[in-house]
């Protein structure tokens, strides 16, 4: 089974960590297939890959910068094994990682391995994560202590696998499953939220999520992404942009399996700021004010065609779920109602169902902040987003 797994590693500069990662993997696992892909590295990473003489290495590079999704999709494409395992170059693999991974994984599952991290993010308790400090930098890392910890931890594991609702980028799955659904979605540019999106689509494909408790790695945390020189001052803006695109796709924030509907929002008494808050939640949003400035500013941050997504109220069309919002009273409570439309539909709250309230009594009887949400057995559409073209 160990010969059926490819290690996929996306690269973007940070050559020092890549070299150390490669050397350590080869010491432990001389014959495992390693797949490196780099889009836009400028620090000698591409020349270094060309210098390697390794029959078990696959690699690809381009001077063009692309998304993390593009990077791992390309790695998936050029890999040759039955299973692919997503890894990062700022990791140290355990001595028993490959053996235990191959013994415990299942082709009917999304398999998450254990990731040991220093206490960079506190209060983050998930099944796939262990917090232990063996060094937050490769030069300070205590290899022997980590390997001793790995042995001790594995010896105390009672159940090698367990169902989990916690998701992670650090997974192993059948290559064919990724190819079938089109891989990661490069809607999320350059990164963040692509893992939540992928796992949702794999679950809709019928795969269950499972935690592998005996396959351990150590992760220095985002040395090539969040905390790298390239991204450290951009991370917050990138996260916000990706979260908005996630909402545009699924209709709700990441963190749970979405129930997605065809939602039309009618925004009266609005402005660009109100439009910005509401637009991601709608398939189409209709406004009573000019919106060109918003499109000109926002279009660069999404692949969705905002000229199709934002329309004047004069072009109003019927949607399965119709939401009326008074822009003058829009506040956090309004947004909370709209972000929980799927729960409102599931509970079938009668308060939202009578259109006469909107036409006659909206401002007098209903609290002004409250959107009016009308629906009648709306069709769920989330499974239409399982498959996409594998864009590389």
């Amino acid at each position: 089974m160990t010969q059926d797994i490819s290690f996929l590693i996306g690269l973007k500069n940070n050559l020092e960590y890549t070299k150390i990662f490669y050397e350590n993997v080869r010491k432990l696992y001389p014959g495992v297939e390693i797949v490196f892909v780099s889009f836009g590295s400028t620090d000698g990473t591409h020349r270094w890959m060309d210098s390697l003489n390794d029959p078990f290495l696959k690699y690809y590079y381009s001077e063009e910068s692309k998304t993390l999704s593009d990077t791992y999709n390309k790695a998936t494409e050029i890999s040759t094994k039955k299973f692919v395992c997503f890894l990062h170059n700022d990791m140290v693999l355990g001595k028993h990682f490959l053996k235990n991974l191959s013994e415990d994984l299942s082709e009917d599952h999304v398999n998450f391995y254990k990731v040991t991290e220093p206490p960079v993010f506190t209060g983050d308790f998930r099944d796939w994560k262990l917090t232990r400090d063996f060094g937050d930098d490769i030069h300070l890392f205590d290899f022997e202590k980590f390997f001793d910890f790995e042995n001790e931890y594995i010896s105390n594991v009672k159940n090698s696998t367990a169902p989990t609702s916690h998701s992670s980028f650090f997974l192993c799955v059948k290559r064919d499953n990724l190819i079938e659904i089109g891989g990661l979605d490069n809607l999320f540019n350059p990164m963040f939220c692509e893992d939540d999106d992928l796992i949702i689509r794999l679950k809709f494909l019928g795969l269950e999520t499972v935690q592998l408790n005996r396959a351990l790695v150590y992760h220095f945390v985002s040395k090539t992404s969040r905390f790298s020189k390239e991204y450290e001052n951009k991370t917050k803006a990138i996260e916000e942009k990706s979260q908005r695109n996630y909402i545009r796709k699924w209709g709700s924030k990441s963190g749970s399996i979405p129930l997605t509907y065809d939602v039309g929002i009618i925004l009266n008494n609005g402005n660009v700021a109100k439009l910005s808050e509401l637009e991601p939640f709608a398939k189409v949003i209709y406004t009573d004010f000019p919106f060109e400035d918003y499109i000109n500013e926002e279009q660069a941050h999404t692949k969705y065609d905002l000229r199709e997504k934002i329309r004047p109220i004069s072009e109003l069309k019927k949607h399965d779920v119709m939401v009326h919002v008074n822009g003058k009273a829009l506040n956090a409570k309004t947004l909370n109602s709209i972000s929980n439309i799927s729960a409102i539909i599931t509970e079938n709250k009668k308060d939202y169902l009578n259109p006469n309230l909107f036409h006659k009594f909206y401002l007098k009887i209903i609290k002004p902040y409250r959107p009016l949400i009308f629906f009648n057995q709306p069709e769920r559409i989330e499974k239409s987003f399982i498959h996409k073209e594998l864009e590389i």
Side-chain angles (χ1 to χ4, degrees), residues 165-178:
S165 60
H166 297 169
S167 62
S168 164
F169 184 82
F170 306 122
L171 58 82
C172 185
V173 71
K174 274 182 65 178
R175 177 180 180 272
D176 285 351
N177 290 142
L178 291 180

Side-chain angles (χ1 to χ4, degrees), residues 266-279 285-295 310-314 325 327:
I266 300 93
L267 173 60
N268 286 284
N269 303 313
N271 55 37
V272 168
K274 308 293 186 184
L275 174 61
S276 178
E277 292 184 288
L278 292 170
E279 173 266 311
I285 185 166
Y286 302 91
T287 75
D288 59 358
F289 63 91
F291 46 79
E292 286 296 322
D293 288 348
Y294 176 78
I295 290 179
I310 308 169
R311 312 298 297 174
I313 286 179
S314 60
V325 177

Side-chain angles (χ1 to χ4, degrees), residues 93-94 112 118 122 132 150 171 237 267 275 283 295 315 330:
L93 306 191
F112 301 114
T122 58
R132 299 287 190 284
E150 178 194 23
L171 58 82
L267 173 60
L275 174 61
K283 182 175 182 182
I295 290 179
E315 298 181 13
L330 189 150

Side-chain angles (χ1 to χ4, degrees), residues 52-65:
L52 298 174
N53 183 17
D54 183 341
F56 302 106
L57 173 69
K58 304 281 185 185
Y59 71 93
Y60 177 90
Y61 62 77
S62 168
E63 306 308 316
E64 180 183 5
S65 289

Side-chain angles (χ1 to χ4, degrees), residues 9 33 43 47 61 72 92 94 98 106 113 136 161 164 178-179 188 205 210 215 265 273 313 315-316 324 367 380 382:
I9 304 94
E33 180 170 274
D43 65 346
R47 291 193 302 274
Y61 62 77
Y72 279 86
V92 174
L98 180 57
S106 166
Y113 54 87
D136 61 1
T161 66
T164 182
L178 291 180
I179 297 293
F188 308 103
L205 199 65
V210 171
I265 296 179
I313 286 179
E315 298 181 13
L316 181 63
H324 295 266
K367 292 181 180 180
R380 286 170 51 179
E382 65 270 10

Side-chain angles (χ1 to χ4, degrees), residues 358-375:
F358 174 69
H359 296 297
K360 296 181 180 179
F361 307 115
Y362 179 42
L363 293 178
K364 293 182 179 180
I365 297 177
I366 303 297
K367 292 181 180 180
Y369 69 80
R370 189 176 189 176
L372 283 178
I373 304 171
F374 307 138
F375 54 87

